[in-house]
Amino acid sequence: MLFNNLIKGKLIKRYKRFLADVELEDGSIITAHCTNTGSMTSCIEEGAPVLLSPSNNPKRKTPFTWEMIWINNNWVGVNTNNANTIAFELVSNQLIPGLTNLSHLKREVKFGDSRFDIFGKDGEQEVWMEVKNVSMREGKKALFPDAPTTRGQKHLKTLMQLVKEGKRAAMIYLIQRSDVDFFETAKKVDFEYDRLLKNAKAKGVEVYPVQVLLSENEISFYRALDYV
């Protein structure tokens, strides 16, 4: 995923979940849109450098979107809307081990009362994929979720149903930071999600934690991490 002309600034504060005040390099202070509705644990540091993307919509109340923050000597992606786009690019380019050679790739495909981020086919077998953005860090571990998620729990239950019907089902955890080496569920944050993911994997749902590298110009594939 490529970026053009990201705007540099420093974070003043994040508030009301969707808003962040940022001081730009010229000293002016603007309010940027924050797409991450979670707690953003371990990726908020007031005064840290941030990167913003300008909006092409002149009617938007916030003319910038908060894309990244510089923490622990690396850029951390905070724009959760990017996760689906990045994951689709990685699957399309066959960069995720285990999710290669898929055809009929589509985004945002409905199954029952759920909508999944990516759909494809492995030969004649359907492959349903859900993408989650990961930014929370604890030591060398990337953790998900950073807030309780009943929607995430529902997706896991539906993925298990898909496997039961003979289809492939997969969770892609898109880790937008490079200062971690392992992936785990945040049991203390959402014990039920942890239980469901373990159960889903045991029943055949594939789990792919994927780490990406972020720079001022692009977000690119780094490596796949294990989930045990």
Side-chain angles (χ1 to χ4, degrees):
M1 181 177 181
L2 300 176
F3 290 104
N4 289 317
N5 303 317
L6 291 183
I7 308 299
K8 297 179 180 179
K10 289 185 178 180
L11 179 66
I12 297 175
K13 64 178 179 178
R14 179 231 188 178
Y15 56 101
K16 294 183 179 178
R17 295 202 309 172
F18 297 104
L19 302 175
D21 285 346
V22 174
E23 181 181 352
L24 302 182
E25 289 187 311
D26 63 4
S28 61
I29 296 175
I30 59 90
T31 299
H33 177 59
C34 176
T35 66
N36 193 325
T37 60
S39 66
M40 296 184 69
T41 303
S42 75
C43 53
I44 289 285
E45 188 175 299
E46 294 182 359
V50 296
L51 295 174
L52 313 173
S53 59
S55 171
N56 295 321
N57 183 359
K59 296 181 180 179
R60 212 175 88 165
K61 293 182 179 180
T62 51
F64 297 98
T65 298
W66 183 12
E67 298 287 347
M68 307 179 204
I69 185 167
W70 183 259
I71 290 181
N72 200 29
N73 293 316
N74 84 128
W75 287 112
V76 176
V78 298
N79 187 344
T80 55
N81 290 344
N82 289 339
N84 290 0
T85 300
I86 298 164
F88 189 80
E89 288 182 3
L90 297 182
V91 173
S92 299
N93 293 316
Q94 305 187 52
L95 291 173
I96 302 178
L99 292 175
T100 57
N101 300 315
L102 301 183
S103 62
H104 299 82
L105 291 172
K106 298 177 183 178
R107 295 182 60 177
E108 299 293 329
V109 179
K110 195 173 182 181
F111 177 85
D113 62 351
S114 295
R115 187 180 298 274
F116 287 95
D117 297 316
I118 307 175
F119 170 85
K121 284 192 172 183
D122 179 2
E124 294 301 314
Q125 188 178 32
E126 294 180 1
V127 186
W128 295 81
M129 294 160 272
E130 178 66 12
V131 180
K132 297 298 182 187
N133 182 79
V134 182
S135 59
M136 183 177 173
R137 167 183 173 267
E138 184 180 275
K140 283 295 184 179
K141 295 182 294 187
L143 300 175
F144 182 88
D146 70 349
T149 171
T150 53
R151 183 171 180 268
Q153 294 171 18
K154 178 186 174 185
H155 277 132
L156 291 176
K157 293 174 183 176
T158 308
L159 289 172
M160 283 188 272
Q161 180 62 37
L162 285 162
V163 170
K164 190 175 181 180
E165 295 180 11
K167 302 169 175 51
R168 285 182 64 186
M171 284 296 314
I172 300 173
Y173 292 95
L174 206 287
I175 303 166
Q176 290 204 64
R177 59 190 309 155
S178 57
D179 56 350
V180 292
D181 296 320
F182 311 98
F183 171 79
E184 290 184 7
T185 45
K187 184 186 299 186
K188 294 179 182 178
V189 174
D190 193 333
F191 179 83
E192 180 63 9
Y193 189 90
D194 173 75
R195 186 191 70 80
L196 283 170
L197 183 58
K198 287 181 170 66
N199 191 28
K201 185 182 180 186
K203 291 188 175 181
V205 175
E206 302 163 34
V207 181
Y208 298 99
V210 180
Q211 193 174 29
V212 292
L213 285 174
L214 295 95
S215 73
E216 297 180 13
N217 302 310
E218 66 176 334
I219 301 177
S220 59
F221 176 78
Y222 179 31
R223 58 181 175 174
L225 298 183
D226 291 328
Y227 168 68
V228 180

